[in-house]
Amino acid sequence: MSTPRPLDDAEVYNEMQKMVAFIKQEALEKAREIKVKADEEFNIEKAKIVRQDSLNIESVFERKIKQAEVQKRIAQSNHVNKTRLRILQERQQVLDNLFEEVDRRIHDISQDNDAYAALIEGLILQGAYSLMEKDVSIRCREQDVDQVKTAIDNVAEKYNEFLKYRPNFTVSEDYLPSSSAGGVIMSGLKGKITVDNTLTARLDIAKEDMLPQIRVALFGHSPNRAFFN
């Protein structure tokens, strides 16, 4: 049996070179594995970040779109409301002008003596039927006293035909303003009940009762109204 020969320096050097080469190759392969894994993790993380940023951008964009839509609706609503308000104001101005003209005209009614006398008689008769009192006080303009006293006799006759008694009419010296349109204010039960039959009061009643018809006549039916009586 032979004894192994010790390695000389050249052989030792070769063996060491082989070991170094092997270790170097292992290190390179390990480095490549680490780099590949690091690149994969980097790409995965990068994709996550890009995706998250994309979602954030989409969210911000959607939020801005919604805000723009809300602001647009608000602006449209404000415009519609301003337009509607302007139309309502213009229509109210038309009505105010109309009623001012009517008020001016009722002040001219008393200029026609015959027509005004008939009107005074009708107002007193209507007031008497409303009061149904035996003692009735009448307020009028001072310039209408004669016409009122003349009308009282006719009214008493007509009243008596239906109710079989003649009211006791008295003309109050508490006159209505001479600048008023005319008409009468009648009271019974010592002033506890009153009927305002001045032309201005009758006009106010007519305005309130006929305002819907007047609006339709001037402006037509509202486009938002679905049903009509």
Side-chain angles (χ1 to χ4, degrees):
M1 183 174 180
S2 60
T3 303
R5 181 180 60 82
L7 298 177
D8 58 23
D9 292 342
E11 292 174 335
V12 171
Y13 178 77
N14 288 334
E15 290 297 326
M16 290 182 64
Q17 288 294 104
K18 291 179 181 179
M19 292 178 62
V20 169
F22 176 78
I23 293 171
K24 185 177 181 180
Q25 183 64 33
E26 286 289 324
L28 290 174
E29 291 179 359
K30 190 65 175 178
R32 279 197 296 270
E33 291 178 3
I34 293 173
K35 184 177 185 304
V36 169
K37 185 176 181 180
D39 288 343
E40 289 178 352
E41 292 179 352
F42 172 77
N43 290 332
I44 292 172
E45 188 64 25
K46 178 182 178 181
K48 288 181 180 179
I49 294 173
V50 170
R51 178 58 180 165
Q52 185 61 48
D53 288 344
S54 298
L55 292 175
N56 291 340
I57 292 172
E58 290 175 1
S59 176
V60 171
F61 184 68
E62 289 177 358
R63 185 167 65 251
K64 289 185 178 297
I65 290 178
K66 290 180 180 179
Q67 290 175 347
E69 290 175 348
V70 170
Q71 291 174 351
K72 180 180 179 181
R73 287 195 294 269
I74 292 174
Q76 290 175 336
S77 178
N78 290 338
H79 177 71
V80 170
N81 290 335
K82 288 180 180 179
T83 301
R84 184 181 293 116
L85 179 60
R86 179 176 57 80
I87 291 173
L88 291 175
Q89 290 173 338
E90 291 177 354
R91 288 184 174 183
Q92 186 60 48
Q93 187 60 52
V94 170
L95 290 172
D96 291 342
N97 293 340
L98 173 64
F99 292 140
E100 287 177 6
E101 176 63 17
V102 173
D103 185 67
R104 185 187 65 78
R105 292 189 180 188
I106 66 171
H107 279 75
D108 296 337
I109 291 176
S110 60
Q111 303 301 318
D112 186 335
N113 290 329
D114 293 337
Y116 187 61
L119 177 60
I120 285 291
E121 182 176 319
L123 293 174
I124 294 174
L125 182 61
Q126 191 272 336
Y129 283 140
S130 297
L131 290 171
M132 299 289 287
E133 292 292 322
K134 291 183 177 181
D135 296 317
V136 177
S137 175
I138 301 175
R139 292 181 62 203
C140 64
R141 299 185 304 181
E142 188 173 8
Q143 61 264 41
D144 296 338
V145 170
D146 291 340
Q147 289 172 308
V148 169
K149 287 182 177 179
T150 300
I152 284 173
D153 293 334
N154 295 332
V155 169
E157 288 294 334
K158 293 178 180 180
Y159 193 91
N160 186 54
E161 290 178 9
F162 288 94
L163 298 178
K164 307 307 178 185
Y165 71 90
R166 296 171 61 92
N168 177 31
F169 294 110
T170 58
V171 179
S172 172
E173 293 184 356
D174 181 15
Y175 300 118
L176 300 178
S178 60
S179 59
S180 66
V184 295
I185 295 178
M186 303 171 62
S187 60
L189 289 179
K190 298 181 179 180
K192 292 182 180 179
I193 52 176
T194 302
V195 174
D196 189 342
N197 262 355
T198 59
L199 298 189
T200 299
R202 298 305 295 264
L203 175 60
D204 289 339
I205 293 173
K207 286 194 295 187
E208 183 175 350
D209 292 344
M210 296 182 66
L211 186 57
Q213 295 94 315
I214 294 173
R215 288 186 185 276
V216 171
L218 291 175
F219 314 120
H221 291 291
S222 170
N224 297 323
R225 186 173 181 180
F227 302 100
F228 300 92
N229 295 330

